[in-house]
Amino acid sequence: MHLTAFGRVVLLVIIAHIQVFAIIDFNFDDDPKSDAQICCMIEHSFPQEPFPECYEQHTNSSTDNEALMCIHQCYYEAIGMFANGDQVQLDKYIKYKDGLDAEHQQSFSYALRVCGQVRLVLMKHFEANAEKPRCSPIPYFYNRCLLEVDIVNCPSDRWMNSTLCDLFVSKMKEKYGKGVQAKST
């Protein structure tokens, strides 16, 4: 499979961001008050119980990006969304999607398609990289992608019109390409 133009752009952007993103937060402009999750009035409800245990298991005195990737791998495997580091348990994500309301199912389905492609690009990148990370970064980046693409495609009745949210959409189009948005605005 050769990379499309979209795939090459996604790969370059993701590689550039690997060292930048430490945890899944959405303060995309380095302002703690700019949490992009407020742009879409939808709350995701993955279980929180395994996260503290995974955090304790993989944290040392200095939590670096590699430790954070291990925390996220541990967490997403513990809740059954991933197996063996990079294997998406699509049936679990579909079951999660099916529990959402009908309009949100559409945006989440679109996010699953977009991020499935992003995951494949990431896997090829990490397989080709001579320096192997201690833990797979795929669960972290896949789930971050799901949340970002889902926010960009938020159902219109839940979207918060604001300059911050418009900036977020613009930044996500830069990061993933114009294909991040199912419908044009």
Side-chain angles (χ1 to χ4, degrees), residues 85-153:
D86 60 4
Q87 296 174 2
V88 174
Q89 302 303 297
L90 192 55
D91 59 324
K92 299 284 187 175
Y93 281 97
I94 290 172
K95 183 177 178 182
Y96 176 79
K97 176 202 61 96
D98 291 345
L100 303 171
D101 63 74
E103 199 170 341
H104 188 199
Q105 285 183 22
Q106 289 179 331
S107 63
F108 197 76
S109 291
Y110 188 76
L112 285 170
R113 286 191 302 277
V114 169
C115 299
Q117 297 225 336
V118 169
R119 179 184 151 267
L120 293 174
V121 171
L122 283 170
M123 287 177 63
K124 285 183 179 193
H125 166 74
F126 288 112
E127 286 171 5
N129 194 349
E131 191 176 320
K132 302 293 180 211
R134 184 169 42 120
C135 298
S136 175
I138 303 297
Y140 169 84
F141 286 112
Y142 181 76
N143 283 283
R144 181 174 183 103
C145 177
L146 286 176
L147 291 172
E148 290 173 340
V149 174
D150 193 44
I151 291 171
V152 168
N153 293 287

Side-chain angles (χ1 to χ4, degrees), residues 19 28 62 119 159 179:
Q19 295 302 317
F28 62 93
S62 67
R119 179 184 151 267
W159 181 253

Side-chain angles (χ1 to χ4, degrees), residues 10 12-13 27 42 50 61 75 85 87 101 145 161 174:
V10 169
L12 292 173
V13 170
N27 303 327
I42 292 175
S61 59
Y75 169 74
Q87 296 174 2
D101 63 74
C145 177
N161 284 322
E174 288 175 22

Side-chain angles (χ1 to χ4, degrees), residues 65-79:
N65 282 345
E66 190 169 88
L68 290 165
M69 296 303 133
C70 291
I71 293 165
H72 286 278
Q73 178 183 342
C74 172
Y75 169 74
Y76 288 112
E77 286 181 357
I79 64 171

Side-chain angles (χ1 to χ4, degrees), residues 26-45:
F26 290 89
N27 303 327
F28 62 93
D29 59 357
D30 296 325
D31 179 354
K33 296 178 184 172
S34 70
D35 190 343
Q37 292 180 90
I38 65 169
C39 295
C40 186
M41 301 311 255
I42 292 175
E43 188 171 317
H44 287 279
S45 58

